[in-house]
C-alpha cells in the first residue's frame, strides 16, 4: 500500500514531468515557426532577385539580341494569344531594322508581391537610343508556378 507521503511525491513528479513536456513541445513549435518564417523571407528575397534578373534578361534578349525563341518560349498563355508567332516575328524584325542602340541600355523596374510572400510580378522599362530615333520598351513579368514568364510587352518608337 502507498502511504500519503509517497502519494504526494508521485503527484509532484508527474506534474513536473508534464510541465517539462509542455516546455519541450513549445520549444519545438517555436523552432518550427522560426524556420517557416526564415524560409518565407529567404524565398521572397530569392524570387525578387530572380525576377529582376529575368526582367533585365528579357529586355536584353528581345530588344538587343533579337531572340524570337526566347520571346516565344517565355510568354504566358494569355500573352501567347496576344502575340501569336507572326506578331512575335514582326516585333523582332522591327528591332532588327532599328539596329543596335547607341550607348548602354538602362533597365528600370522591380518586383512586387500580390500577397505578402506569393505571386511575384514585375514591370520593367528601358529607353533605347537607336540611331534613327529613341524608343521605349516595357515588359510585365510574373512567376505563377515553376518559371518566370512574360505577361505583356509594349514597344513605342518616339519621333525625333
Amino acid at each position: 500500500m502507498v502511504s500519503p507521503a509517497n502519494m504526494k511525491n508521485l503527484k509532484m513528479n508527474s506534474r513536473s514531468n508534464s510541465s517539462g513536456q509542455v516546455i519541450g513541445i513549445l520549444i519545438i513549435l517555436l523552432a518550427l515557426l522560426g524556420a517557416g518564417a526564415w524560409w518565407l523571407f529567404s524565398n521572397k528575397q530569392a524570387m525578387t532577385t530572380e525576377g529582376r534578373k529575368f526582367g533585365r534578361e528579357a529586355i536584353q534578349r528581345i530588344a538587343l539580341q533579337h531572340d524570337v525563341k526566347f520571346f516565344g518560349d517565355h510568354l504566358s498563355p494569355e500573352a501567347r494569344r496576344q502575340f501569336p508567332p507572326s506578331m512575335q516575328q514582326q516585333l523582332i524584325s522591327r528591332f532588327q531594322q532599328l539596329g543596335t542602340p547607341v550607348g548602354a541600355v538602362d533597365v528600370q523596374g522591380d518586383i512586387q508581391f500580390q500577397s505578402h510572400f506569393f505571386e511575384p510580378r514585375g514591370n520593367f522599362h528601358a529607353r533605347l537610343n537607336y540611331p534613327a530615333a529613341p524608343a521605349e520598351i516595357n515588359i510585365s513579368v510574373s512567376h505563377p508556378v515553376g518559371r518566370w514568364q512574360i505577361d505583356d510587352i509594349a514597344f513605342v518608337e518616339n519621333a525625333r
Side-chain angles (χ1 to χ4, degrees):
M1 199 152 154
V2 179
S3 70
N6 285 339
M7 185 67 108
K8 189 175 180 182
N9 282 339
L10 284 174
K11 284 183 182 178
M12 288 186 74
N13 282 340
S14 80
R15 278 188 204 145
S16 65
N17 283 343
S18 16
S19 67
Q21 289 174 345
V22 169
I23 290 173
I25 290 172
L26 283 175
I27 290 171
I28 290 171
L29 223 90
L30 286 174
L32 287 173
L33 286 173
W38 171 84
W39 181 83
L40 284 172
F41 281 104
S42 65
N43 188 53
K44 182 178 180 179
Q45 185 177 19
M47 291 295 267
T48 300
T49 302
E50 288 174 18
R52 287 179 186 146
K53 182 181 174 187
F54 179 76
R56 286 175 174 79
E57 179 185 15
I59 288 177
Q60 179 79 22
R61 299 275 297 267
I62 294 168
L64 304 174
Q65 297 175 9
H66 315 130
D67 190 344
V68 73
K69 182 169 176 21
F70 177 89
F71 186 23
D73 288 348
H74 289 88
L75 287 174
S76 68
E78 179 64 32
R80 282 186 208 286
R81 288 188 286 281
Q82 185 180 355
F83 293 98
S86 61
M87 290 284 293
Q88 294 171 35
Q89 187 58 54
Q90 184 179 6
L91 183 62
I92 295 295
S93 293
R94 185 63 191 134
F95 284 121
Q96 289 170 334
Q97 289 170 358
L98 290 169
T100 304
V102 177
V105 175
D106 183 30
V107 178
Q108 301 291 321
D110 209 357
I111 300 295
Q112 298 85 34
F113 289 79
Q114 301 304 331
S115 59
H116 195 66
F117 295 103
F118 306 103
E119 299 179 39
R121 296 184 178 281
N123 294 302
F124 295 88
H125 170 81
R127 185 164 174 81
L128 308 166
N129 293 313
Y130 290 106
E136 296 180 23
I137 183 171
N138 294 297
I139 291 183
S140 298
V141 300
S142 66
H143 189 284
V145 177
R147 72 181 186 108
W148 285 96
Q149 64 185 17
I150 299 168
D151 295 327
D152 192 27
I153 184 167
F155 177 66
V156 178
E157 295 179 56
N158 301 324
R160 285 198 177 188

